[in-house]
């Protein structure tokens, strides 16, 4: 695990991501200037975060890395609890705190 | 407190952003730890965080790197995860687009989940804010988050190699993301977008090169936008004016 990655590969990734992610953010705010976006595009953009982040998380929850990718009831339960608390309290910090507690429970009881 | 000057706008942003230190702190710590576990030395992890400054893209790249994914696919996947910041940038443009170029360049670098989420709510609810007040507020929201992220990466990278893999620390990442989703589901359309993305995400993992993420994300966005149109139509049908 602790074997150092190939430096050429690593630095290509870092530089590529640095340039790429800046370009992504700068593309609109930097180049569009004061011009406004068409309403249909804005309507879709409103849902970027609530679509991409769940899409990223779902496979990680259903096939968790710590179990080697085997679906696990404790992991699912903790994930559902963290999500539900965040939804009901509308508070990221409470949800994060419950996530920390949930992780501790998993660490202590699921081996 | 009402925002009366540019300076007070900055400090309002600073105070609003401060609690997110509790989010970006553990996130940065986790990145540092996982980077160390992947074999990155401390300066490498630091330059990674400083230059890219996009947590989820960094995590994606790190994970794929350990799975010996080809370089091009690592770059495309990590940037795809980060596509949402381009969308954030687009949706901030009507509010910040009139600022000088150097300010917009700085704002682009600092566009992350926290600064976007706070700023868009602030700008929508306080339409009387001037351009310079908006920019000051936006920079303020990063006053704690950006330094916190760097310091946390540093500490994480230092201690990382001493944490055994048996702790199952990898699962903290999805939990942290999950905690952010709940509070974001403000309208029925948000809920529709979220669940459409979740429902698509699992079968979409069968697609090669991590493309499933993009597909599920797009399905979610379209479902949300469609739901919004449908709900608006039903609303106007109910009370014609």
């Amino acid at each position: 695990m602790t074997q150092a990655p190939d430096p050429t590969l690593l630095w290509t990734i870092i530089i590529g991501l640095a340039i790429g992610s800046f370009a992504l953010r700068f593309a609109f705010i930097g180049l569009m200037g004061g011009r406004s976006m068409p309403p249909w595009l804005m309507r879709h953009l409103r849902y970027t975060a609530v679509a991409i982040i769940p899409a990223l998380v779902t496979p990680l929850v259903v096939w968790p890395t710590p179990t080697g990718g085997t679906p696990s009831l404790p992991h699912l339960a903790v994930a559902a609890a963290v999500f539900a608390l965040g939804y009901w309290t509308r508070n990221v910090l409470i949800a994060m705190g419950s996530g920390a507690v949930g992780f501790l429970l998993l660490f202590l009881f699921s081996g | 407190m009402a925002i009366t000057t540019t300076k007070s706008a900055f400090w309002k942003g600073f105070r609003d952003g401060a609690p997110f230190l509790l989010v970006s702190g553990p996130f940065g710590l986790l990145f540092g730890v996982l980077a160390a576990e992947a074999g990155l030395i401390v300066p490498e992890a630091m330059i990674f965080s400083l230059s890219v400054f996009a947590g989820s893209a960094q995590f994606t790249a790190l994970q794929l790197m350990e799975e010996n994914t080809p370089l091009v696919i690592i770059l495309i996947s990590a940037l795809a995860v980060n596509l949402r910041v381009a969308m954030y940038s687009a949706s901030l443009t009507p509010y910040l687009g009139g600022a000088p170029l150097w300010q917009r360049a700085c704002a682009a670098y600092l566009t992350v989940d926290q600064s976007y989420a706070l700023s868009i709510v602030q700008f929508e609810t306080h339409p009387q804010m001037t351009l310079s007040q908006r920019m000051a507020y936006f920079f303020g929201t990063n006053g704690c988050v950006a330094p916190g992220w760097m310091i946390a990466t540093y500490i994480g990278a230092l201690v990382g190699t001493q944490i055994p893999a048996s702790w199952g620390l990898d699962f903290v990442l999805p939990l942290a993301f999950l905690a952010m989703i709940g509070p974001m589901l403000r309208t029925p359309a948000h809920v529709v977008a979220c669940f459409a993305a979740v429902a698509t995400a699992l079968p979409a993992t069968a697609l090669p090169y991590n493309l499933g993420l993009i597909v599920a994300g797009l399905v979610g966005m379209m479902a949300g936008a469609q739901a919004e149109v449908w709900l608006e139509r039903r609303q106007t049908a109910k009370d014609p004016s």
Side-chain angles (χ1 to χ4, degrees):
Chain A
M1 272 291 267
T2 43
Q3 196 191 348
D6 173 49
T8 320
L9 176 77
L10 177 67
W11 285 103
T12 317
I13 290 173
I14 293 179
I15 294 166
L17 275 188
I19 295 172
S21 62
F22 182 77
L24 279 179
R25 302 176 215 199
F26 191 66
F28 288 97
I29 202 168
L31 304 178
M32 286 288 293
R35 281 162 287 175
S36 58
M37 230 59 64
W40 70 266
L41 181 59
M42 292 304 288
R43 187 177 297 124
H44 281 81
L45 297 181
R46 256 196 287 284
Y47 300 97
T48 325
V50 286
I52 303 256
I53 296 180
L56 179 73
V57 167
T58 310
L60 296 175
V61 169
V62 176
W63 299 299
T65 322
T67 67
T70 316
S72 130
L73 201 57
H75 287 84
L76 271 176
V78 166
V82 170
F83 169 77
L85 264 166
Y87 183 72
W88 282 320
T89 62
R90 304 274 143 175
N91 188 320
V92 182
L93 300 178
I94 291 178
M96 285 277 171
S98 71
V101 173
F103 175 75
L104 267 178
L105 290 175
L106 281 176
F107 174 63
L108 293 174
F109 296 111
S110 83
Chain B
M1 190 192 76
I3 292 174
T4 46
T5 62
T6 307
K7 207 173 149 191
S8 67
F10 178 87
W11 288 111
K12 171 89 165 65
F14 191 90
R15 279 194 307 274
D16 290 350
F20 285 93
L21 203 54
L22 297 176
V23 179
S24 78
F27 239 49
L29 207 60
L30 184 63
F31 177 75
V33 169
L34 295 185
E37 282 184 353
L40 270 68
I41 54 171
V42 175
E44 289 171 341
M46 284 304 290
I47 292 172
F48 205 154
S49 266
L50 252 167
S51 65
V52 181
F53 195 48
S56 46
Q58 291 173 226
F59 282 112
T60 308
L62 210 56
Q63 185 148 7
L64 295 178
M65 213 170 70
E66 286 201 75
E67 291 165 15
N68 293 319
T69 312
L71 171 69
V72 180
I73 295 164
I74 295 179
L75 284 177
I76 293 175
S77 307
L79 289 175
V81 171
N82 221 17
L83 208 57
R84 69 176 195 288
V85 297
M87 316 285 182
Y88 295 164
S89 158
S91 98
L92 285 171
T93 300
Y95 297 104
L96 299 176
L101 187 68
W102 70 268
Q103 285 187 8
R104 279 183 279 144
C106 295
Y109 171 72
L110 292 170
T111 302
V112 290
D113 292 317
Q114 292 90 343
S115 59
Y116 169 73
L118 288 171
S119 298
I120 203 76
V121 171
Q122 175 74 22
F123 300 162
E124 277 173 1
T125 52
H126 297 83
Q128 79 284 5
M129 282 173 84
T130 66
L131 176 60
S132 59
Q133 286 172 352
R134 286 194 201 118
M135 202 47 121
Y137 181 86
F138 181 82
F139 287 144
T141 59
N142 262 299
C144 283
V145 169
W149 169 247
M150 304 306 169
I151 294 166
T153 300
Y154 180 69
I155 298 170
L158 277 184
V159 301
T161 44
Q162 281 143 47
I163 294 177
S166 62
W167 284 16
L169 214 56
D170 308 41
F171 201 63
V172 177
L173 180 63
L175 286 181
F177 276 134
L178 272 169
M180 291 165 70
I181 299 170
M184 286 195 293
L185 301 177
R186 295 194 307 269
T187 66
H190 284 103
V191 177
V192 169
C194 173
F195 284 96
V198 168
T200 319
L202 289 181
T205 51
L207 292 169
Y209 310 137
N210 226 348
L211 274 171
L213 177 65
I214 323 254
V215 172
L218 281 175
V219 168
M221 284 164 71
M222 286 180 341
Q226 235 11 74
E228 184 188 306
V229 170
W230 187 75
L231 286 167
E232 263 173 20
R233 231 176 254 155
R234 216 180 51 165
Q235 195 61 41
T236 38
K238 222 184 261 171
D239 45 17
S241 51

